[in-house]
Amino acid sequence: MVMPKADLIKTGISGLDSILLGGIPRTNVILVQGVTGSGKTLMGLEFIYRGMVEYNEPGLVVVFETSPDKLIRDAAEFGWNLDEMQQQKKLQIVFTSPQVLDQELRSPDSLLLEAATEMGAKRIFVDGIGLLVSASGGGDSERGGFRELLQQLMESLSRENLTAMLSLEVGSALASIATVEASDFLADTVIQLGRERHGRHTQRSLEVLKSRGQDFDGGEHTLQIIAGQGLQVFRRVQAPLRVNAKQPTSSTMRSVIGVEAVDTLIGGGIFDGSTTMVVGVSGVGKTVLATQILREGALKQKKRGLLISLDEHPAQIIRNAQTLGLNLEEQVADGTIQILFGGPQELHVDAH
Ligand SMILES: Nc1ncnc2c1ncn2[C@@H]1O[C@H](COP(=O)(O)OP(=O)(O)OP(=O)(O)O)[C@@H](O)[C@H]1O
Ligand SMILES: [Mg+2]
């Protein structure tokens, strides 16, 4: 069954569009919410930047607190040249106050929307809509004011055919429960960013809470902010596989270990696609056994192998294998065997 494809807008953020099964329906209002430092501003900037560079869609950025210079500077750390984009009229950064924006939206000839039309903007990012609470009078008794203001903002953006991303800081005094509820309800797509402590290291997460007009991969995915590159989303490993994705194998083929007695003992090798746990006290030969399986596979069956070490450094593994007459250097050099080394504390299962 082939469903007619809606007009999806690609965020261009690495890994995010596949979680969204291709993108977000055009003119959806996307709310990005999260605690301070969770990556909301960077996500908005990358959404605009990728739009300009990869999809030739001009964009607008509206900021209330941060100076445009700071945005330009921070973006440069990721290799995004916003200055140049502004000169080419593909980008406009608008620095305003919530009060001015409020008045703008109420007047029939909004300068902001005029600017958007003039440059043919397709995307807009408004950073920190929590600040609109102050423009709407603030206070819980006035929350109807915020809701109304936000609704007005969203409507005028949709009228201009803009796909909007709005960021909202949660967990601060500004964003009362009522503010977050109203924003979540009004937005078409809600993306939640998280920054949590796991032991002594920090882990970032991304979850799509809702998205009108489409299906998506639910649950908490892993987010990383990579200098010189941008945001990267890693799909949650437990997410159910989509139909066209590679299914797990239940092969009847076997991989030999290369020690005849052991291979015979287990019926001619271990099944391909299976998981075997090697258990034993320290020094009993677990690493050696595993190394031997990889080498045997590489040499005799042309099977590529991956050795993930959370303990010994690759050089150490190669040296130790060498002392037993298992030469790995050649296979490692030509890539038949790859050794991945990482500290267990910094390991993200989704990223791997
Ligand atoms: N060049 C960089 N390289 C790696 N990580 C970076 C870089 N620049 C920023 N970061 C990370 O991104 C975080 C800031 O993200 P961002 O400003 O998007 O958060 P935010 O959710 O908008 O926060 P706030 O609510 O305070 O505005 C920093 O705390 C830092 O961890
Ligand atoms: Mg921010």
Side-chain angles (χ1 to χ4, degrees):
M1 185 180 65
V2 181
M3 300 278 279
K5 274 259 182 259
D7 181 13
L8 298 177
I9 189 166
K10 290 205 186 297
T11 65
I13 293 165
S14 181
L16 183 56
D17 293 315
S18 71
I19 280 160
L20 293 160
L21 312 185
I24 297 172
R26 196 173 284 279
T27 71
N28 261 19
V29 174
I30 308 153
L31 180 74
V32 178
Q33 61 183 34
V35 294
T36 182
S38 55
K40 302 179 297 293
T41 302
L42 290 177
M43 172 163 280
L45 282 185
E46 186 161 7
F47 171 69
I48 298 296
Y49 178 78
R50 300 282 171 216
M52 294 182 292
V53 173
E54 280 161 37
Y55 307 104
N56 200 22
E57 297 186 346
L60 272 171
V61 174
V62 179
V63 285
F64 303 120
E65 292 178 311
T66 339
S67 80
D69 287 345
K70 236 180 224 165
L71 274 192
I72 291 168
R73 181 201 67 191
D74 293 350
E77 289 293 314
F78 296 92
W80 311 331
N81 190 341
L82 300 187
D83 245 346
E84 193 182 83
M85 296 289 150
Q86 285 214 91
Q87 277 157 24
Q88 295 172 353
K89 304 254 184 290
K90 287 186 188 163
L91 167 71
Q92 195 171 330
I93 302 177
V94 180
F95 183 46
T96 181
S97 74
Q99 285 74 17
V100 171
L101 184 72
D102 179 28
Q103 280 162 14
E104 273 264 308
L105 292 170
R106 285 177 202 282
S107 75
D109 40 27
S110 154
L111 288 173
L112 181 75
L113 298 179
E114 212 171 89
T117 318
E118 210 167 278
M119 69 190 292
K122 294 274 185 289
R123 302 178 181 215
I124 183 167
F125 171 50
V126 184
D127 200 15
I129 57 160
L131 293 163
L132 293 176
V133 172
S134 60
S136 64
D140 258 7
S141 57
E142 294 284 338
R143 66 180 176 230
F146 170 74
R147 194 190 178 109
E148 196 183 302
L149 181 55
L150 192 59
Q151 196 155 19
Q152 199 167 19
L153 172 67
M154 291 179 177
E155 272 169 17
S156 35
L157 298 178
S158 299
R159 226 179 301 128
E160 300 296 319
N161 256 323
L162 290 162
T163 305
M165 190 176 270
L166 316 175
S167 85
L168 174 67
E169 187 190 327
V170 298
S172 72
L174 261 182
S176 67
I177 292 173
T179 308
V180 177
E181 273 177 357
S183 311
D184 279 6
F185 177 74
L186 291 175
D188 301 305
T189 303
V190 179
I191 297 176
Q192 173 140 318
L193 304 185
R195 182 173 48 81
E196 293 115 29
R197 280 282 289 279
H198 285 256
R200 285 165 63 195
H201 79 119
T202 312
Q203 194 160 344
R204 296 180 186 281
S205 63
L206 177 147
E207 179 172 3
V208 182
L209 297 185
K210 75 165 185 187
S211 198
R212 290 183 183 134
Q214 71 171 153
D215 188 17
F216 53 85
D217 278 336
E220 194 179 294
H221 306 280
T222 295
L223 174 71
Q224 286 182 4
I225 298 175
I226 304 165
Q229 188 183 318
L231 301 192
Q232 166 105 46
V233 183
F234 296 93
R235 188 175 169 278
R236 183 171 65 90
V237 287
Q238 302 92 337
L241 295 169
R242 299 276 160 184
V243 265
N244 54 356
K246 208 173 161 236
Q247 299 296 319
T249 55
S250 54
S251 173
T252 50
M253 305 285 282
R254 290 172 186 262
S255 287
V256 293
I257 293 170
V259 181
E260 217 185 313
V262 182
D263 282 327
T264 312
L265 199 66
I266 55 175
I270 46 180
F271 281 121
D272 287 357
S274 68
T275 306
T276 304
M277 188 134 115
V278 182
V279 187
V281 293
S282 177
V284 84
K286 302 180 294 292
T287 309
V288 175
L289 177 71
T291 312
Q292 175 143 358
I293 295 171
L294 289 188
R295 192 167 172 277
E296 190 73 14
L299 285 179
K300 306 227 174 95
Q301 299 177 298
K302 293 212 171 8
K303 284 184 170 154
R304 290 155 63 86
L306 175 65
L307 198 160
I308 301 174
S309 171
L310 309 178
D311 178 14
E312 288 173 80
H313 192 272
Q316 210 175 343
I317 293 171
I318 293 173
R319 185 203 62 195
N320 292 350
Q322 186 87 57
T323 61
L324 288 162
L326 299 169
N327 189 353
L328 289 178
E329 260 169 350
E330 203 177 302
Q331 283 76 36
V332 170
D334 71 13
T336 334
I337 294 177
Q338 279 189 40
I339 304 179
L340 197 86
F341 171 68
Q345 279 78 26
E346 298 303 322
L347 209 67
H348 303 282
V349 68
D350 294 345
H352 286 290

